[in-house]
Amino acid sequence: MSKSTFRRALLGSISACQILGLCLAPMARAEELKQWPHIQSAIPEDAAMEAKIRAMVAGMTLRQKIGQMTQAEIKAVTPDDVRKNYLGSVLNGGGSWPYMMKHATLKDWVAMSDGFYDASMRTDMKVKVPLLWGTDAVHGHGNVIGATLFPHNIGLGAAHDPELIREIGAATGRAVRATGINWVFAPTLAVVEDQRWGRTYEGFSSDPLLVRAYATTYVEGMQGHFSKAENVVGTAKHYIGDGGTLNGKDQGMNVSPEAKLMNYHAQGYYGALGAGVQTVMASYSSWTDGPSGKAYGKMHGNEYLLTEVLKGKMGFDGFVISDWNAVGQIPGCLNYHCPQAINAGVDMMMVPLEWDKFIDATVTDVESGAIPMSRIDDAVTRILRVKMRAGIFGKRPSSNPYAGKASAIQARDLARRAVAESLVLLKNNGALPLKKGAKILVVGKSADNLGNQTGGWTITWQGTDNANSDFPNADSILTGIKAEAGAANVTYSADASGVDVSKYDAVIAVIGETPYAETAGDITNLSHTARHPEDVKVLQAVSGKGKPVITVFESGRTAYANDLINLSDAFVAAWLPGSEGKGVTDVLFGAKDFKGTLSFDWPSAACPTQNSGPLFALGYGLSYAKSGEVGSLPVSNPDGCQ
């Protein structure tokens, strides 16, 4: 098929969607920056607070200061460790719960939070400093059994609704406060360029201005000015350029010129810093300025970007937190010993398991002159500033009105609305909407699999090793289909074996990716079938049998799926919708129209090149009001890309 013939056959191409008026244009371009801008924070400096902080820092011993710069994992530290070592923070990583109980209750979470807080109040410091507890609540409070799980960021980006993000930020803050925790490692502000990256779903969009708009409202909703009981400390991550690494390699190399970092990858940080975000997490990735060839190395050791740009030119006065053992990737450093990172501008070190070694090694570094005392004082000043602004002094975690409240971890109506708004209709050759009461055959491995539906960073780090029973307040898509069509009218067969398609009015196939997080999600090409051949097999079993096939595709990225689209009469990109499967069926059965549009290009090839162009461009999305058919697409599923 020639290129021109293909474009005529495919009404879903970029040119066709523009002609039909089905594309939403990317957000208007910002004026090109020639230098790093100063960002005016929504949280101004308080002179009286600054004077108090100076007095506190002057009265602290070196070990007390370095203790404040230390963050330990809850499974590797006790309250008495906090007391003896003046620890400034603890965290629970993905798949870490109080006392390592996966089904820990809200009472367990709050009790542990109180225990750590109380220990920080029993030190021999002149002024007692409460600790911060950080958690990866990246799509709701995902580590907590029973909490509402929102669509991952890639789905929220497709909704193109910054005000929705404000509400989700506030709801996430409430859920986190319900467990006694006061700091969230979110939002992720990566502007993703290569969907082979395993963290693609943590990015809102490839449109930097949409990322900026979302960063603003997310921080305003979740952190605000700490005036509401639901507010928690927010984190802009991962600074900077992690979405632009070569070949989408996690923790890899970004070779963008500085002008691109400034105008493209930094846009989300402008929004977050303007909204007053109080912490910034450094990226695992590295940066080499492409045009000059100057190698700046790992971001955790990049003094230019961390100190000169972020803290100096942009005016950030909160603190920089490292990522999990990330400083160990800097040449000459260990996971627990890296004066280079502190000198570069990292203020608090996430040294989850070897925190005690970090304290001893850093004390020695300061005493030897490897780290100037002025750098330590600056780091501690920033940490105390954030703690004071957050209002955690004198406030036991259990004193928060949301602490321990089961209702505070629930926002199901909001999440259901977010799911409905995030769905993108890529193809509809007359198969949708479905009628209530229709006899429906449901197939596919993900129809009744809440693990696949919620994705990574859910209960466990990778989102694996979870059963439907681990989601007591959730509905699978199959549950939603039964509620709409009537349970007696629905038959489910995961692999479509042994069923007579002719007995049904329609087939719904729920297929897609299985859970992953970070590096484990990196892939060599964008072909879905190359990785999940079971999905094309289940579609082949039901397609072409005289009944419409509606495919609901769950994924953490836009994927090459021409073969799957060809086998479908309707094709819906559902992303990773979270706990509320009924948000999908609200739209499939016509109670709501499709609203979502792509926040990333949909690839036309498994191994895209600069010349291949998208199959569906950023901004594309059909609806019941604006329909359009898609013709037969060429298919190629290579095992890898060069």
Side-chain angles (χ1 to χ4, degrees), residues 17 21-24 423-426 594-598 616-623 626:
C17 79
L22 300 174
C23 288
L24 291 179
L423 302 178
V424 179
L425 181 60
L426 298 180
F594 285 92
K595 177 184 176 183
T597 59
L598 292 177
F616 305 112
L618 185 151
Y620 174 89
L622 303 173
S623 69
K626 294 182 179 180

Side-chain angles (χ1 to χ4, degrees), residues 268-292:
Y269 295 91
Y270 301 153
L273 267 60
V277 75
Q278 289 297 287
T279 70
V280 171
M281 183 179 288
S283 173
Y284 281 109
S285 60
S286 303
W287 176 49
T288 291
D289 182 55
S292 70

Side-chain angles (χ1 to χ4, degrees), residues 14 40 50 127 140 148 164 219 302 337 347 365 371 397 403 411 415 441 450 484 488 500 518 598 634:
I14 180 172
Q40 184 62 51
E50 294 301 312
V127 179
T148 293
L164 173 66
V219 172
N302 191 328
H337 182 217
D347 301 303
D365 286 335
I371 302 174
L441 171 64
L450 289 165
E484 291 287 348
D500 183 354
E518 299 188 67
L598 292 177

Side-chain angles (χ1 to χ4, degrees), residues 333-510:
C333 288
L334 301 171
N335 289 341
Y336 62 85
H337 182 217
C338 192
Q340 298 97 308
I342 295 174
N343 287 334
V346 175
D347 301 303
M348 182 179 284
M349 295 286 247
M350 188 187 293
V351 276
L353 308 179
E354 298 176 284
W355 56 267
D356 50 346
K357 293 180 181 179
F358 164 74
I359 293 173
D360 290 340
T362 306
V363 167
T364 300
D365 286 335
V366 176
E367 291 175 340
S368 71
I371 302 174
M373 181 62 78
S374 60
R375 175 76 269 273
I376 299 296
D377 287 348
D378 174 57
V380 177
T381 295
R382 290 170 175 276
I383 292 166
L384 294 180
R385 180 182 295 133
V386 171
K387 291 182 176 184
M388 285 192 182
R389 286 174 172 171
I392 64 174
F393 281 79
K395 294 183 180 179
R396 206 163 183 249
S398 58
S399 69
N400 187 283
Y402 294 113
K405 299 288 182 62
S407 59
I409 66 171
Q410 293 296 305
R412 298 192 66 180
D413 289 344
L414 174 61
R416 183 171 175 173
R417 174 162 68 91
V419 173
E421 289 190 23
S422 71
L423 302 178
V424 179
L425 181 60
L426 298 180
K427 175 181 180 179
N428 185 20
N429 291 2
L432 289 174
L434 292 163
K435 295 180 180 179
K436 289 189 176 183
K439 290 187 66 64
I440 296 174
L441 171 64
V442 181
V443 299
K445 65 179 187 288
S446 297
D448 196 34
N449 189 312
L450 289 165
N452 291 353
Q453 186 172 305
T454 52
W457 294 106
T458 303
I459 306 177
T460 64
W461 173 35
Q462 295 288 322
T464 54
D465 301 318
N466 294 322
N468 280 5
S469 59
D470 292 319
F471 300 87
N473 300 311
D475 288 319
S476 69
I477 293 175
L478 178 63
T479 298
I481 294 169
K482 289 180 176 179
E484 291 287 348
N489 293 321
V490 177
T491 299
Y492 176 51
S493 172
D495 61 2
S497 62
V499 293
D500 183 354
V501 176
S502 67
K503 295 181 178 180
Y504 300 91
D505 298 312
V507 180
I508 301 176
V510 188

